[in-house]
Amino acid sequence: MNNILIDKLNKIKTDRPPVWFMRQAGRILPSYKKLKLKYTFDELMKNSDLASTVSLLPVKDLGVDAIILFSDILVIPDALGLNLEFTNKGPIFHNPLKIDNPNKQLIFDNTRLDYIYKNITEIKKKKQDLPLIGFCGGPLTTFCFMFRGDVSDKSFHQAIKFLYKYPKQSHKILDLITEASELYVKQQIRHGIDCFQLFETYCGLVPSEKYIKEILPYSQRILNATKDKVPSIFFPKNLGTGLKYLNRSICDYVSVDWQIDINDARQILDKELGIQGNLDPRLLYSDVKSIQIELHKIKQFASSNKDFILNLGHGFLPDIDYKKAKFIVDWVKRINWKN
Ligand code: CP3
């Protein structure tokens, strides 16, 4: 097994940093776009042969050091009864949360996630020599999406208004999301994931102090569901200076967003925490020379920071040229990391 990612997460010395990308499965790959001409996103996700094939495309096409499960963070709200549909214009819930119904009852049906566990088994069957990353959405991010019933509504205003207006009901929902996610993580582990990442993309919607005090305990519960089993990575996008409150009781690695300089992030993060990141995804719109300049900055950082995984500071944008991503992977594998 190419254990470079798992070794890194376990603080074992490696010859170079591992490299993988958020949102590597799908989106940018011509091989994925070809499949999308024939199948809907839902069909790709729910058929274990197709889902495992898609999960493995970036290994073949980009040469990354890890597989990420082809799924979505919105499957938890679906299992909580919100009835998810991936339309051509994006995901919608047919039964979203609404601000005028603060006491709506939610019931978690774990069987609605069974196909995902089957997909994990299938990926592990097809490819045993690379680690598989499992994931789910962070509690705030998941909560925010649960208020979106309409693809045209791209704001999270209703969700955030609800959070401030109905704190008691909000915490009940956050607790339920967390309970469902803890179970989901444990089942992912049971079926064979090798590490876990929590995508908390929307930390920046509330002051970081509010996030740390009120939401982080839920994130910690989900991340701790991995304890003593598989390593964990936390992606708290736009947490800003709130990064200083994170430590090893929460996760093993922190995936840092593109807004903060990686050297600054290293300074404010607890020394025991490893760091993943943080290329600006829009860098892949620029030419190879400009990309190389940024990669050299990363190399400099990595020369004095061994607990480091190379990744983006947020997921790939859909309209970049996948060859630029391949260039990054090839570069990581080609250069001499010893000097
Ligand atoms: O990393 C990977 O490639 C693995 C699979 C993965 C998907 N979504 C597949 C997907 C992962 C890890 C996600 C995470 C996700 N999903 C997040 C958190 C990370 C982030 O980037 O912020 C969020 C907020 C979502 C919610 C979501 N899913 C939205 C808003 C959309 C529509 C717009 C978009 O981003 O494309 C999706 C759809 C989605 N999820 C697609 C894929 C490949 C595109 C669907 C398609 O191909 O038709």
Side-chain angles (χ1 to χ4, degrees), residues 12 39 42 53 70 92 94 116 142 148 186-187 207 212 234 247 254-255 257 263 304 307 316 320 324 336:
I12 297 168
Y39 304 102
D42 218 47
T53 299
F70 182 68
I92 58 162
H94 290 292
I116 298 171
T142 305
R148 267 202 197 166
K186 286 182 184 159
Q187 293 268 49
I212 297 294
F234 184 29
N247 57 50
V254 174
S255 196
D257 64 69
N263 296 285
S304 49
D307 300 324
F316 278 136
I320 58 128
K324 305 261 175 73
N336 182 357

Short mmCIF file of all heavy atoms in Angstrom, two decimals, residues 12 39 42 53 70 92 94 116 142 148 186-187 207 212 234 247 254-255 257 263 304 307 316 320 324 336:
data_model
loop_
_atom_site.label_atom_id
_atom_site.label_comp_id
_atom_site.label_asym_id
_atom_site.label_seq_id
_atom_site.Cartn_x
_atom_site.Cartn_y
_atom_site.Cartn_z
N ILE A 12 4.80 9.63 10.89
CA ILE A 12 5.95 8.79 10.48
C ILE A 12 6.65 9.51 9.33
O ILE A 12 5.99 10.05 8.44
CB ILE A 12 5.48 7.38 10.05
CG1 ILE A 12 4.82 6.66 11.24
CG2 ILE A 12 6.62 6.56 9.46
CD1 ILE A 12 4.06 5.41 10.88
N TYR A 39 -24.93 9.34 -17.15
CA TYR A 39 -25.58 9.10 -15.86
C TYR A 39 -25.77 10.40 -15.08
O TYR A 39 -24.97 11.32 -15.22
CB TYR A 39 -24.73 8.16 -14.98
CG TYR A 39 -24.39 6.85 -15.63
CD1 TYR A 39 -23.13 6.63 -16.19
CD2 TYR A 39 -25.32 5.82 -15.67
CE1 TYR A 39 -22.81 5.42 -16.78
CE2 TYR A 39 -25.01 4.60 -16.26
CZ TYR A 39 -23.75 4.41 -16.81
OH TYR A 39 -23.44 3.21 -17.39
N ASP A 42 -26.90 11.39 -9.12
CA ASP A 42 -27.55 10.44 -8.24
C ASP A 42 -27.26 8.98 -8.64
O ASP A 42 -26.96 8.14 -7.81
CB ASP A 42 -29.06 10.69 -8.29
CG ASP A 42 -29.69 10.51 -6.94
OD1 ASP A 42 -29.14 11.06 -5.97
OD2 ASP A 42 -30.71 9.79 -6.86
N THR A 53 -15.86 3.44 -9.37
CA THR A 53 -15.10 3.84 -10.56
C THR A 53 -14.76 5.33 -10.49
O THR A 53 -13.61 5.73 -10.71
CB THR A 53 -15.92 3.56 -11.85
OG1 THR A 53 -16.17 2.16 -11.89
CG2 THR A 53 -15.18 3.98 -13.11
N PHE A 70 -16.52 8.97 -3.34
CA PHE A 70 -17.42 9.78 -4.17
C PHE A 70 -18.80 9.77 -3.53
O PHE A 70 -19.53 8.77 -3.58
CB PHE A 70 -17.49 9.22 -5.59
CG PHE A 70 -18.37 10.04 -6.49
CD1 PHE A 70 -17.98 11.32 -6.86
CD2 PHE A 70 -19.58 9.56 -6.94
CE1 PHE A 70 -18.80 12.10 -7.67
CE2 PHE A 70 -20.40 10.32 -7.76
CZ PHE A 70 -20.01 11.59 -8.12
N ILE A 92 -31.13 20.21 -4.25
CA ILE A 92 -32.22 20.85 -3.50
C ILE A 92 -32.82 19.84 -2.51
O ILE A 92 -32.70 18.63 -2.70
CB ILE A 92 -33.38 21.36 -4.40
CG1 ILE A 92 -33.98 20.23 -5.24
CG2 ILE A 92 -32.95 22.53 -5.25
CD1 ILE A 92 -35.36 20.58 -5.79
N HIS A 94 -36.45 18.68 -0.97
CA HIS A 94 -37.89 18.85 -1.19
C HIS A 94 -38.61 19.14 0.12
O HIS A 94 -39.74 19.58 0.13
CB HIS A 94 -38.46 17.60 -1.86
CG HIS A 94 -38.00 17.47 -3.28
ND1 HIS A 94 -38.40 18.34 -4.27
CD2 HIS A 94 -37.12 16.61 -3.87
CE1 HIS A 94 -37.82 18.00 -5.42
NE2 HIS A 94 -37.03 16.97 -5.20
N ILE A 116 -23.85 3.97 0.61
CA ILE A 116 -22.50 4.56 0.76
C ILE A 116 -21.55 3.52 1.38
O ILE A 116 -20.40 3.39 0.96
CB ILE A 116 -22.56 5.84 1.61
CG1 ILE A 116 -23.43 6.86 0.88
CG2 ILE A 116 -21.16 6.40 1.88
CD1 ILE A 116 -23.76 8.08 1.67
N THR A 142 -23.68 21.70 7.44
CA THR A 142 -24.84 20.83 7.20
C THR A 142 -26.13 21.54 7.61
O THR A 142 -27.11 21.58 6.85
CB THR A 142 -24.68 19.51 8.01
OG1 THR A 142 -23.41 18.95 7.65
CG2 THR A 142 -25.78 18.53 7.69
N ARG A 148 -32.02 25.16 2.66
CA ARG A 148 -32.08 25.47 1.24
C ARG A 148 -33.00 24.52 0.49
O ARG A 148 -32.67 23.37 0.27
CB ARG A 148 -30.68 25.34 0.64
CG ARG A 148 -29.95 26.63 0.63
CD ARG A 148 -28.88 26.52 -0.42
NE ARG A 148 -27.89 27.57 -0.23
CZ ARG A 148 -26.72 27.57 -0.81
NH1 ARG A 148 -26.37 26.58 -1.60
NH2 ARG A 148 -25.88 28.55 -0.60
N LYS A 186 -18.60 6.21 12.19
CA LYS A 186 -18.25 4.89 12.72
C LYS A 186 -18.52 3.78 11.71
O LYS A 186 -17.76 2.84 11.58
CB LYS A 186 -19.02 4.63 14.02
CG LYS A 186 -18.45 5.44 15.19
CD LYS A 186 -19.17 5.17 16.47
CE LYS A 186 -18.63 6.08 17.56
NZ LYS A 186 -19.55 6.23 18.68
N GLN A 187 -19.63 3.92 10.99
CA GLN A 187 -19.96 2.92 9.96
C GLN A 187 -18.97 3.00 8.79
O GLN A 187 -18.60 1.98 8.22
CB GLN A 187 -21.37 3.18 9.42
CG GLN A 187 -22.45 2.93 10.43
CD GLN A 187 -22.93 1.50 10.35
OE1 GLN A 187 -22.13 0.57 10.33
NE2 GLN A 187 -24.23 1.32 10.31
N PRO A 207 -19.19 34.76 13.81
CA PRO A 207 -17.91 35.18 14.40
C PRO A 207 -17.15 33.95 14.90
O PRO A 207 -17.77 33.00 15.40
CB PRO A 207 -18.33 36.06 15.58
CG PRO A 207 -19.72 36.49 15.27
CD PRO A 207 -20.35 35.39 14.47
N ILE A 212 -16.33 28.77 17.94
CA ILE A 212 -15.54 28.00 18.90
C ILE A 212 -16.39 27.60 20.12
O ILE A 212 -16.38 26.45 20.56
CB ILE A 212 -14.31 28.82 19.38
CG1 ILE A 212 -13.37 29.13 18.20
CG2 ILE A 212 -13.56 28.12 20.51
CD1 ILE A 212 -12.69 27.96 17.57
N PHE A 234 -9.47 18.12 9.97
CA PHE A 234 -10.57 19.08 10.14
C PHE A 234 -10.34 20.24 9.17
O PHE A 234 -9.26 20.84 9.17
CB PHE A 234 -10.57 19.56 11.59
CG PHE A 234 -11.69 20.49 11.97
CD1 PHE A 234 -12.93 20.44 11.34
CD2 PHE A 234 -11.51 21.42 13.01
CE1 PHE A 234 -13.97 21.30 11.72
CE2 PHE A 234 -12.53 22.28 13.40
CZ PHE A 234 -13.75 22.21 12.74
N ASN A 247 -6.70 21.90 18.86
CA ASN A 247 -5.59 21.10 19.38
C ASN A 247 -5.86 19.62 19.13
O ASN A 247 -6.87 19.26 18.54
CB ASN A 247 -5.35 21.38 20.88
CG ASN A 247 -6.61 21.11 21.67
OD1 ASN A 247 -7.23 20.06 21.53
ND2 ASN A 247 -7.01 22.08 22.48
N VAL A 254 -5.07 19.84 10.56
CA VAL A 254 -6.02 20.89 10.19
C VAL A 254 -5.77 21.25 8.73
O VAL A 254 -4.63 21.48 8.32
CB VAL A 254 -5.86 22.15 11.08
CG1 VAL A 254 -6.75 23.28 10.59
CG2 VAL A 254 -6.18 21.81 12.53
N SER A 255 -6.85 21.25 7.94
CA SER A 255 -6.74 21.66 6.55
C SER A 255 -7.03 23.15 6.51
O SER A 255 -8.10 23.61 6.88
CB SER A 255 -7.77 20.86 5.72
OG SER A 255 -7.47 20.95 4.37
N ASP A 257 -7.45 26.95 4.91
CA ASP A 257 -8.00 27.54 3.68
C ASP A 257 -7.00 28.50 3.03
O ASP A 257 -5.98 28.84 3.61
CB ASP A 257 -9.34 28.22 3.95
CG ASP A 257 -9.20 29.40 4.90
OD1 ASP A 257 -8.60 30.42 4.49
OD2 ASP A 257 -9.66 29.31 6.05
N ASN A 263 2.31 30.05 6.58
CA ASN A 263 3.28 30.29 7.67
C ASN A 263 2.58 30.92 8.88
O ASN A 263 2.89 30.58 10.03
CB ASN A 263 4.40 31.21 7.18
CG ASN A 263 5.20 30.53 6.08
OD1 ASN A 263 5.99 29.63 6.34
ND2 ASN A 263 4.97 30.94 4.84
N SER A 304 10.80 23.20 6.52
CA SER A 304 10.93 23.31 7.98
C SER A 304 9.68 22.84 8.73
O SER A 304 9.57 23.01 9.94
CB SER A 304 11.28 24.75 8.37
OG SER A 304 10.41 25.63 7.72
N ASP A 307 5.24 17.99 9.29
CA ASP A 307 3.87 17.46 9.38
C ASP A 307 2.98 18.22 8.41
O ASP A 307 2.17 19.07 8.80
CB ASP A 307 3.34 17.59 10.81
CG ASP A 307 4.21 16.81 11.79
OD1 ASP A 307 4.70 15.74 11.40
OD2 ASP A 307 4.40 17.29 12.92
N PHE A 316 -11.45 22.08 -5.87
CA PHE A 316 -11.27 22.49 -7.27
C PHE A 316 -12.49 23.26 -7.76
O PHE A 316 -13.62 22.89 -7.45
CB PHE A 316 -11.20 21.24 -8.18
CG PHE A 316 -9.86 20.59 -8.24
CD1 PHE A 316 -9.76 19.21 -8.16
CD2 PHE A 316 -8.71 21.34 -8.42
CE1 PHE A 316 -8.53 18.57 -8.25
CE2 PHE A 316 -7.47 20.71 -8.51
CZ PHE A 316 -7.39 19.33 -8.42
N ILE A 320 -11.49 24.45 -14.27
CA ILE A 320 -10.03 24.52 -14.46
C ILE A 320 -9.58 23.37 -15.38
O ILE A 320 -10.31 22.40 -15.57
CB ILE A 320 -9.26 24.45 -13.12
CG1 ILE A 320 -9.60 23.18 -12.35
CG2 ILE A 320 -9.48 25.68 -12.28
CD1 ILE A 320 -8.42 22.41 -11.92
N LYS A 324 -3.39 21.02 -15.20
CA LYS A 324 -2.67 21.83 -14.21
C LYS A 324 -2.59 21.07 -12.88
O LYS A 324 -1.59 21.13 -12.16
CB LYS A 324 -3.37 23.18 -14.00
CG LYS A 324 -3.60 23.98 -15.28
CD LYS A 324 -2.54 25.05 -15.45
CE LYS A 324 -2.65 25.80 -16.76
NZ LYS A 324 -3.78 26.73 -16.84
N ASN A 336 13.25 17.21 -5.67
CA ASN A 336 13.99 16.67 -4.54
C ASN A 336 13.60 17.43 -3.28
O ASN A 336 13.87 18.61 -3.14
CB ASN A 336 15.50 16.83 -4.84
CG ASN A 336 16.33 16.24 -3.74
OD1 ASN A 336 15.80 15.76 -2.72
ND2 ASN A 336 17.65 16.26 -3.91
#
